[in-house]
Amino acid sequence: MKQIYFFSEGNKDMRQLLGGKGANLAEMTRLKLPVPAGFTITTEACHAYQRNNNELSDSLIQEIDNALIKLSKYTNKNFNDKVNPLLISVRSGAAISMPGMMDTILNIGLNDESVVALAKITNNERFAYDSYRRLLAMFGNVVYGISEDIFDQVLTDTKKDNNYKSDIELTTDDLKSIVERFKEIYTQDAHKAFPQNPEEQLLAAVNSVFESWDNNRARVYRKQNNIPETLGTAVNVQTMVFGNAGEDCGTGVAFTRNPATGDKDLFGEYLLNAQGEDVVSGVRTPKPIDTLKSSMPEIYDQFADIAQKLEDHYQDMQDLEFTIEHGELFLLQARDGKRTPEAAVKIAVDLVNEGLINKKTAIKRIDPESISAMLHADFDKAELKKHNSLTTGLPASPGAASGQIYFTAEEAKNAHDDKHQKVILVRQDTSPEDIEGMVVSEAIVTSRGGMTSHAAVVARGMGSTGVVGAHELQVDYKNKVAKINDTVLKPGDWISVDGTKGKIYSGQISTSESVIKGDLSILLDWAKEISDMGVYTNADTPADFQKALDFDADGIGLTRTEHMFFKAERLLQMRRLILAKDATGRKDPLEKLLAMQQNDFYEIYKLSAGKSVTVRLLDPPLHEFLPHDAKEIKLVADELNETTENLENRIDSLKELNPMLGHRGDRLAVTFPDIYQMQVRAIINAVLRLKDEGIEIKPHIMIPLTDSKAEMQWVRNLVENQIKELSTEVDYQVGTMMEMPRACVTANQIAEVSDFFSFGTNDLTQLTFGYSRDDVGSFMPEYIKQGILPNDPFQSVDIEGVGELMKMAVDRGRQTNNQLPIGVCGEVGGDPKSIQFFDKIGVTYVSCSPYRIPIARIAAAQATINKEGQ
């Protein structure tokens, strides 16, 4: 089996085999763009490496040797040549981009002899030893696990001793001394010598890149971005071109559009006399690419033309890495660029308007979950005026966030996990090792780095707020303190970060509501037009419903009437109702609750403007409304003019061993029919009141916890008899909440007496697994960690078990009524993965919390597109 492909042999459609980087290098080579020659070791070779106990096979080593011979002939350079040495880079490249998460080593092939040859052939001794020290530091860190800080400290000490401000000021003698010190570090820290044999360097580098697929930061990144663990990485071996060979050399990263805003402008940064790691690491602050127009106009024009050509070719915004070597431009990478959610939406809409893609392609490119970052608030303008702006950096990733600062990823993670704090990670610069702290942070702030630094790219990719290059910020890790001019910040102090303007403020700032507008509004309109599935909201108050309508909800899929009873005055009446000894005692509190609920329904129905509203009758066990401790019991006893002893006895008589499986849902209708009758009266009275005002409402009344046709028929009769007492002119539907496994199995029978189904996935999951959703936190994380469950089934539907019951219910329900409306209104109703499944089994609509409506809308449209095979 072929394990190596030269760039000239591949193309962009070979991502699974060559990885994203390898496939795109091959595609650019095919397009005759200036790409340094090289080859890709495939992901299949990575899998073979893993099967071979993490060792390179003899057959792969032989293929590498043959590929090197071919590369040497093509470049007219040889490994270890004392006149014209071949130098290469080794880079990872998974099928799905994971920027910075795996390992890279540059300048492989340098040793004590070839560095002399490189100095002679380039007539630049400083450049040669600068490249050698970079190889020593990278190789030592990646292959031998020597901390980057140890190498960095040598550089820092040398600059400090000579009063240098930057690496550029290091002299040839300085670099020679640093090289010798670096080699000493090998023997002191790794107890190994740096390998002088270039082939040994190469094989060790390939081994390390394969090994880095399983490093901690890569695993965390894959988990965060839902990247399969089974993909593996390819390895790209490429002839070196040097951006650090003089002032007519440089390196940079650029995007064909602004990755923060989506604006159609070439956006990027570069450094003269530098290698690629200098740009992305944040150690040096690069220049905006626009300044290349004046310093190297011909190179800028050539690069701008190539950038446009690649964007047109890939029909998407591209992230490009380039090197300039003595006035000659080389492309080292092209990939779809990471972008903020705002930029993703704008770019998708703009590309449709430009005729490059269609609406369905635009929708497929949006990560539904990322939309949530666009729905949250900005800083309240009035509140903002009360806070001092501490400093301004580069606006790396839009948004507004407040949090308590920490200076290490570990401290940030611990504060988030253990103390449940909102945290902000503040660093001089970040590295891939900081990923766990970055994931939990509300915002990321660095004192160094540019818009393409690691911190900026990761913040944008995660949809987190980010400010980088805040030069007035000084972070003292040793003393755990940060300073911004005269302001001193310690761990746990609050700051607020505006990632749109790049500003950092002291203290905690409140936020103002966001609205859907502009490109997002256009995209959501397209999604609604394309989707087969409706998107409704779960709303218990007019305020919730109004927010959902602002997000263009199709109606209400679930109004939980019990939530209306928890205000103080209502709770008192509810307790009177529950504690009453008979129907006579329940009459007065029911009358008072009737008036309250009737007005609730009136307000909600009035907002609906004719859109469907589904009201679920009382569901929870009655004990939830009762007082639970001595202090509260005493207060309630006083309110009810009852003795504490009598109240405690009554509460004890209502206790159940397992209330979630006990006296609740439609079982209340059987034992306390007057409760459901009151709620139905409240609904119909509200409908009739609106009818008098000229607004027609068709109420949808939902019966919870049904498990048989007989039970559903009994409760339906109760509901319908109450409606007939009040009016014969109201058009209504009575449906059931499918949350009992038995109901799913007998759905064909229940459909005979039910106008619609709506899955309550929380209880269906609870009853299918035998898990209490309130208690799974004690073991669920370990189940997911150990791979026993792929995810929390209360957050994303369990397709094999719960999903199979749902499919059975849909199929059997539609056998009885092929037009039966079927919804989902549990927690997973707003989960994009679950929505894909619901569309496949024929669910009519999903219902979710207001802020998840846009997410569900995009996911529903994607499900329709996937179903159509487009």
Side-chain angles (χ1 to χ4, degrees):
M1 179 182 68
K2 185 178 174 70
Q3 298 179 88
I4 290 178
Y5 288 77
F6 272 78
F7 297 158
S8 57
E9 298 178 291
N11 60 60
K12 65 181 175 63
D13 298 321
M14 298 172 69
R15 295 178 66 88
Q16 294 300 317
L17 184 65
L18 302 180
K21 185 173 293 187
N24 289 333
L25 286 168
E27 187 73 5
M28 287 194 292
T29 300
R30 193 178 68 81
L31 294 173
K32 303 188 183 310
L33 297 179
V35 175
F39 56 84
T40 300
I41 304 171
T42 67
T43 57
E44 288 297 329
C46 179
H47 297 149
Y49 167 86
Q50 292 167 335
R51 291 192 297 270
N52 195 38
N53 298 316
N54 285 11
E55 290 185 6
L56 303 178
S57 66
D58 291 342
S59 62
L60 178 59
I61 293 172
Q62 184 59 56
E63 278 197 64
I64 291 172
D65 288 342
N66 294 338
L68 282 172
I69 293 170
K70 185 176 178 179
L71 186 62
S72 294
K73 288 180 180 178
Y74 182 84
T75 60
N76 199 30
K77 297 178 180 180
N78 291 292
F79 259 176
N80 218 20
D81 194 292
K82 296 179 182 179
V83 177
N84 193 14
L86 173 66
L87 303 178
I88 57 177
S89 64
V90 173
R91 291 183 170 95
S92 61
I96 299 174
S97 177
M98 296 169 54
M101 294 302 111
M102 292 178 292
D103 290 326
T104 292
I105 303 180
L106 307 179
N107 308 320
I108 285 174
L110 281 175
N111 56 26
D112 291 348
E113 293 183 345
S114 60
V115 70
V116 176
L118 182 64
K120 187 173 182 180
I121 198 172
T122 60
N123 195 30
N124 190 336
E125 194 174 24
R126 184 195 181 282
F127 150 68
Y129 280 92
D130 182 55
S131 299
Y132 195 15
R133 67 94 179 169
R134 292 171 185 270
L135 169 62
L136 286 164
M138 280 183 155
F139 192 95
N141 175 245
V142 171
V143 178
Y144 291 159
I146 303 171
S147 171
E148 288 179 292
D149 294 340
I150 297 175
F151 294 111
D152 288 344
Q153 192 61 51
V154 174
L155 288 175
T156 300
D157 291 345
T158 304
K159 288 186 287 186
K160 184 178 180 181
D161 291 344
N162 292 280
N163 200 27
Y164 299 154
K165 292 182 178 178
S166 71
D167 296 354
I168 293 294
E169 297 176 73
L170 293 166
T171 66
T172 301
D173 287 340
D174 292 330
L175 290 165
K176 286 182 177 180
S177 175
I178 288 168
V179 163
E180 292 306 314
R181 182 70 189 97
F182 279 8
K183 286 192 287 185
E184 290 173 7
I185 289 171
Y186 275 72
T187 56
Q188 290 170 1
D189 286 77
H191 306 294
K192 296 178 181 178
F194 172 71
Q196 293 290 313
N197 184 325
E199 290 191 15
E200 186 180 341
Q201 295 173 20
L202 172 58
L203 293 179
V206 172
N207 187 87
S208 293
V209 171
F210 279 154
E211 209 167 62
S212 71
W213 174 257
D214 282 321
N215 69 33
N216 183 61
R217 64 178 185 263
R219 287 196 301 270
V220 170
Y221 187 90
R222 287 196 293 273
K223 183 177 179 181
Q224 177 74 9
N225 292 276
N226 298 312
I227 297 173
E229 292 286 335
T230 55
L231 289 181
T233 183
V235 179
N236 298 288
V237 178
Q238 190 171 24
T239 309
M240 282 296 303
V241 286
F242 294 96
N244 61 324
E247 290 303 315
D248 60 346
C249 303
T251 186
V253 176
F255 297 83
T256 55
R257 301 187 188 223
N258 188 310
T261 66
D263 291 338
K264 191 178 181 181
D265 295 309
L266 193 59
F267 179 93
E269 298 166 324
Y270 73 100
L271 283 168
L272 292 177
N273 204 7
Q275 284 196 333
E277 288 299 307
D278 296 336
V279 178
V280 298
S281 69
V283 172
R284 288 173 60 187
T285 300
K287 298 179 181 179
I289 198 166
D290 279 354
T291 63
L292 195 62
K293 283 182 184 178
S294 55
S295 60
M296 296 182 179
E298 291 182 2
I299 290 291
Y300 179 87
D301 290 343
Q302 182 190 2
F303 181 76
D305 288 343
I306 289 173
Q308 188 60 56
K309 181 177 182 178
L310 285 170
E311 180 174 281
D312 291 345
H313 182 73
Y314 284 104
Q315 298 180 328
D316 199 1
M317 184 261 274
Q318 294 297 293
D319 171 1
L320 308 174
E321 289 184 17
F322 65 93
T323 288
I324 304 162
E325 184 181 70
H326 299 308
E328 185 175 357
L329 177 67
F330 294 93
L331 273 293
L332 303 181
Q333 177 169 277
R335 63 186 175 196
D336 294 343
K338 298 288 183 184
R339 61 205 79 178
T340 64
E342 290 86 350
V345 169
K346 177 172 175 53
I347 290 168
V349 172
D350 285 352
L351 289 175
V352 172
N353 293 334
E354 292 166 23
L356 281 176
I357 61 175
N358 59 30
K359 293 177 182 178
K360 291 182 178 179
T361 301
I363 288 168
K364 284 179 69 175
R365 287 186 178 172
I366 303 301
D367 173 11
E369 287 288 1
S370 73
I371 296 296
S372 63
M374 300 178 66
L375 306 177
H376 297 295
D378 291 327
F379 288 136
D380 181 86
K381 289 182 173 58
E383 186 72 18
L384 195 60
K385 293 178 181 178
K386 302 175 185 176
H387 291 260
N388 297 323
S389 173
L390 297 176
T391 189
T392 300
L394 298 174
S397 188
S402 294
Q404 293 173 266
I405 65 168
Y406 291 93
F407 304 129
T408 69
E410 182 181 9
E411 289 173 343
K413 186 175 187 302
N414 289 341
H416 175 272
D417 292 351
D418 299 340
K419 301 177 183 177
H420 307 294
Q421 292 180 354
K422 289 186 175 182
V423 301
I424 290 178
L425 184 64
V426 175
R427 302 277 294 163
Q428 288 182 339
D429 49 65
T430 64
S431 75
E433 299 299 332
D434 296 318
I435 185 67
E436 288 188 288
M438 299 173 83
V439 164
V440 301
S441 294
E442 304 293 316
I444 297 160
V445 175
T446 65
S447 60
R448 300 193 296 212
M451 294 290 281
T452 55
S453 65
H454 177 265
V457 171
V458 173
R460 285 195 293 270
M462 296 191 306
S464 299
T465 299
V467 171
V468 300
H471 299 302
E472 292 177 320
L473 168 68
Q474 297 178 352
V475 183
D476 183 345
Y477 297 129
K478 183 177 180 181
N479 295 306
K480 292 189 176 183
V481 68
K483 293 181 180 179
I484 302 177
N485 299 319
D486 295 331
T487 301
V488 177
L489 298 168
K490 298 177 181 178
D493 286 350
W494 283 86
I495 65 169
S496 296
V497 181
D498 184 339
T500 305
K501 297 179 180 177
K503 290 186 175 293
I504 301 170
Y505 299 88
S506 60
Q508 187 175 6
I509 304 176
S510 60
T511 54
S512 57
E513 287 297 316
S514 62
V515 294
I516 289 179
K517 59 185 178 181
D519 292 317
L520 180 56
S521 179
I522 293 169
L523 193 78
L524 289 170
D525 284 345
W526 292 348
K528 188 170 184 177
E529 169 192 319
I530 289 166
S531 176
D532 291 335
M533 189 184 297
V535 179
Y536 291 67
T537 188
N538 302 333
D540 309 325
T541 67
D544 286 345
F545 192 20
Q546 184 58 62
K547 176 52 67 177
L549 291 172
D550 292 343
F551 291 154
D552 198 23
D554 294 325
I556 293 182
L558 174 63
T559 291
R560 293 158 288 208
T561 54
E562 60 272 11
H563 287 190
M564 300 172 174
F565 294 134
F566 283 101
K567 292 179 182 177
E569 182 185 356
R570 300 178 181 207
L571 186 56
L572 173 63
Q573 299 304 327
M574 195 65 187
R575 285 168 170 171
R576 286 184 62 210
L577 170 69
I578 295 167
L579 296 169
K581 296 177 182 178
D582 51 32
T584 302
R586 293 195 295 271
K587 188 173 181 179
D588 183 66
L590 279 170
E591 286 299 318
K592 287 183 169 61
L593 289 169
L594 170 64
M596 297 171 187
Q597 283 227 299
Q598 182 174 312
N599 192 62
D600 291 336
F601 295 137
Y602 170 81
E603 295 293 340
I604 288 173
Y605 283 138
K606 189 173 183 179
L607 275 177
S608 73
K611 290 185 175 182
S612 173
V613 173
T614 299
V615 175
R616 183 182 71 185
L617 301 183
L618 192 63
D619 176 53
L622 297 179
H623 80 98
E624 289 190 6
F625 299 98
L626 297 176
H628 299 291
D629 58 55
K631 183 179 179 181
E632 195 177 3
I633 289 172
K634 176 67 169 62
L635 287 172
V636 173
D638 292 343
E639 284 179 332
L640 298 178
N641 196 25
E642 182 68 83
T643 67
T644 302
E645 183 180 3
N646 286 344
L647 183 58
E648 287 176 339
N649 290 336
R650 181 64 178 140
I651 291 171
D652 285 341
S653 71
L654 291 170
K655 281 184 178 176
E656 298 179 78
L657 291 175
N658 195 338
M660 291 308 294
L661 298 178
H663 196 182
R664 55 171 291 214
D666 59 1
R667 299 157 198 170
L668 292 170
V670 176
T671 54
F672 300 115
D674 44 1
I675 296 178
Y676 270 28
Q677 287 170 330
M678 177 275 291
Q679 291 193 295
V680 173
R681 285 203 306 277
I683 290 169
I684 301 304
N685 286 342
V687 170
L688 292 174
R689 180 180 170 189
L690 286 163
K691 185 179 179 70
D692 290 341
E693 296 175 13
I695 302 173
E696 290 288 338
I697 301 293
K698 181 180 180 178
H700 291 63
I701 299 171
M702 185 155 65
I703 312 302
L705 224 66
T706 302
D707 60 17
S708 71
K709 174 186 175 181
E711 187 178 47
M712 179 62 190
Q713 183 68 71
W714 196 96
V715 181
R716 183 184 183 107
N717 290 342
L718 178 77
V719 170
E720 290 186 326
N721 289 337
Q722 190 62 54
I723 294 173
K724 289 173 185 176
E725 282 186 22
L726 297 168
S727 173
T728 57
E729 298 178 3
V730 174
D731 188 14
Y732 61 88
Q733 287 190 350
V734 180
T736 185
M737 200 166 192
M738 300 292 286
E739 47 197 336
M740 304 291 286
R742 189 183 191 281
C744 296
V745 174
T746 61
N748 55 320
Q749 299 173 34
I750 294 175
E752 295 173 12
V753 293
S754 185
D755 298 325
F756 61 87
F757 287 172
S758 182
F759 287 103
T761 55
N762 292 342
D763 270 337
L764 183 57
T765 300
Q766 185 168 237
L767 293 165
T768 301
F769 274 96
Y771 293 161
S772 165
R773 67 185 181 197
D774 298 319
D775 300 316
V776 292
S778 63
F779 61 87
M780 187 59 65
E782 195 64 23
Y783 265 57
I784 294 170
K785 180 180 177 181
Q786 297 298 335
I788 297 171
L789 288 174
N791 45 250
D792 184 341
F794 291 101
Q795 301 299 317
S796 190
V797 69
D798 161 49
I799 292 174
E800 291 182 355
V802 176
E804 190 63 25
L805 283 169
M806 295 177 72
K807 183 178 185 304
M808 181 188 298
V810 172
D811 293 344
R812 294 187 178 188
R814 295 252 170 86
Q815 286 173 12
T816 300
N817 175 5
N818 61 11
Q819 298 299 312
L820 183 70
I822 299 176
V824 174
C825 58
E827 189 71 27
V828 298
D831 171 56
K833 287 183 182 177
S834 302
I835 287 170
Q836 296 289 320
F837 172 73
F838 299 151
D839 187 75
K840 286 180 183 177
I841 65 173
V843 167
T844 314
Y845 66 89
V846 293
S847 186
C848 54
S849 62
Y851 279 93
R852 294 199 70 81
I853 288 168
I855 298 166
R857 183 76 74 192
I858 296 291
Q862 290 176 344
T864 299
I865 295 166
N866 292 339
K867 185 170 57 181
E868 294 171 350
Q870 297 188 27

